[in-house]
Amino acid sequence: MYRITSIIITLFAFSILQSGCRQSSTHHIRISGAFALYPLAVKWAEEYKKTHPAIQFDISAGGAGKGLTDVLTGADDLGMFSRELTPEESAKGIWKVAVAKDAVLPTINAKNPLVHYIQQKGLTKAQFQRIFLSNGTLIWQSVIDTPVSVPVHVYTRSDASGAAETWAKYLGVKQENLKGTGIYGDPGLADAVLKDEYGVGFNNAIYIYDLQTGKKREGLEVIPIDINNNGKIDADENFYDSFDHVLQAISNGKYPSPPARPLYFIAKGKPDNPDVVEFLKWILTYGQSYVKSAGYVPLPEQTIQSSLQELNQQ
């Protein structure tokens, strides 16, 4: 009887020990924030888990504002962030590291009667300001020289969005100054323009182009930016036909910044969780090999080395 009891106690103790080991061997990294960075963050997590199976990820998109709130409250380890921090946000102890680059592009419904004319002419910054900063009913005749009366239905973001803030920065204002129907999230804004023949909006590049084909989503077109203000899209301004050409234009600076911009991971103070630090180091080294294929622009080597040096400092 004593022997049986001893065995049961031993097995029970071993079971508890094993359970404890299982719990301690699984670690979670919690991430939320910008829609712009979400697809790449998911790709990085999938690849990282292949060599670090004990790390589990909880990743959700909800806009840059949500990422900021979640790291400030301690709900998440990292926030996905798609704009520059304000001085007030930096004063709260927010730490950031650049991880990739992309751009916000203006969009139009492909069935718009003026779409081909607009794509040949492009729009200047002043014309975009006329569209996105005007109150009341708007027609294309008040924006460009055309005898055809076609309405302009403007869509913008309803959530605290890095894409909206970046597009507003290009226009010289803040997100709250943008006019139009507010839509939640990048996918929602793309769908709103797709469903409205007169719709005009803006999206992160990854939500305009099909990553598999490299072509624009059917029904969605890009409004080219007339960068030199000469009333037409010149050859070196015309790079919107494929995703590869757009990414190249972002990389070499032909597409202006803003609305091109770095994408960041942010945290409340410099991370000291070893799992988070190792994941960030992996992103800045091996993880950069997945950036281009995922539809983003890799970081310059100098930026990577500077960030790694900071992460390695105690």
Side-chain angles (χ1 to χ4, degrees):
M1 183 63 184
Y2 173 78
R3 178 178 173 81
I4 292 175
T5 302
S6 177
I7 290 173
I8 291 174
I9 291 174
T10 300
L11 288 174
F12 181 66
F14 182 70
S15 175
I16 291 176
L17 182 61
Q18 273 206 318
S19 174
C21 288
R22 281 197 298 271
Q23 289 177 1
S24 62
S25 64
T26 300
H27 303 265
H28 285 80
I29 296 178
R30 300 159 301 170
I31 304 171
S32 69
F35 285 91
L37 192 52
Y38 176 74
L40 181 54
V42 171
K43 176 64 177 177
W44 276 331
E46 291 173 350
E47 296 299 331
Y48 192 71
K49 286 171 64 177
K50 291 178 181 177
T51 52
H52 301 75
I55 303 296
Q56 301 296 316
F57 289 89
D58 298 320
I59 305 176
S60 62
K66 183 178 188 309
L68 177 64
T69 299
D70 287 346
V71 296
L72 281 172
T73 60
D76 282 340
D77 301 296
L78 296 171
M80 298 177 285
F81 211 64
S82 53
R83 61 172 173 81
E84 297 300 324
L85 289 163
T86 66
E88 293 77 14
E89 291 164 348
S90 296
K92 296 177 181 176
I94 296 298
W95 176 89
K96 70 175 183 179
V97 60
V99 292
K101 192 174 181 182
D102 80 337
V104 178
L105 278 71
T107 57
I108 189 171
N109 188 291
K111 293 181 180 178
N112 188 298
L114 297 175
V115 64
H116 298 301
Y117 181 77
I118 293 170
Q119 288 185 315
Q120 290 172 3
K121 294 283 189 180
L123 295 185
T124 64
K125 181 185 292 186
Q127 289 170 320
F128 282 118
Q129 289 170 331
R130 172 72 176 147
I131 291 175
F132 286 95
L133 305 182
S134 297
N135 285 308
T137 304
L138 193 65
I139 58 174
W140 275 105
Q141 282 176 308
S142 65
V143 179
I144 57 175
D145 180 21
T146 171
V148 184
S149 180
V150 177
V152 184
H153 296 170
V154 182
Y155 294 93
T156 184
R157 290 280 291 272
S158 61
D159 50 313
S161 153
E165 191 62 47
T166 300
W167 183 244
K169 186 176 181 180
Y170 167 65
L171 301 180
V173 297
K174 297 288 187 182
Q175 178 181 349
E176 54 266 30
N177 300 121
L178 296 179
K179 307 300 181 185
T181 303
I183 304 293
Y184 177 79
D186 248 308
L189 184 48
D191 286 343
V193 176
L194 274 170
K195 294 174 180 175
D196 185 347
E197 182 176 334
Y198 305 117
V200 173
F202 54 83
N203 271 112
N204 296 305
I206 193 70
Y207 291 90
I208 300 173
Y209 291 86
D210 185 317
L211 188 58
Q212 301 303 318
T213 65
K215 298 179 180 178
K216 283 165 281 192
R217 290 178 60 184
E218 187 174 355
L220 203 60
E221 289 291 344
V222 175
I223 303 175
I225 298 179
D226 178 12
I227 298 169
N228 60 11
N229 301 317
N230 69 348
K232 64 179 181 180
I233 293 301
D234 299 314
D236 62 350
E237 295 172 322
N238 189 8
F239 38 74
Y240 302 94
D241 60 327
S242 76
F243 202 4
D244 281 346
H245 291 163
V246 168
L247 294 177
Q248 187 176 1
I250 296 169
S251 179
N252 62 25
K254 283 188 175 181
Y255 192 72
S257 179
R261 47 47 194 300
L263 299 173
Y264 300 97
F265 273 139
I266 60 172
K268 187 177 181 181
K270 181 181 172 183
D272 55 8
N273 180 328
D275 295 328
V276 174
V277 172
E278 287 307 308
F279 178 54
L280 291 174
K281 288 181 181 178
W282 180 90
I283 286 174
L284 293 169
T285 52
Y286 299 104
Q288 288 296 299
S289 64
Y290 302 103
V291 171
K292 192 172 182 180
S293 61
Y296 299 80
V297 175
L299 295 172
E301 184 62 26
Q302 185 177 0
T303 302
I304 292 174
Q305 292 306 320
S306 175
S307 297
L308 283 172
Q309 186 176 7
E310 182 184 358
L311 279 170
N312 286 324
Q313 291 175 346
Q314 297 298 322

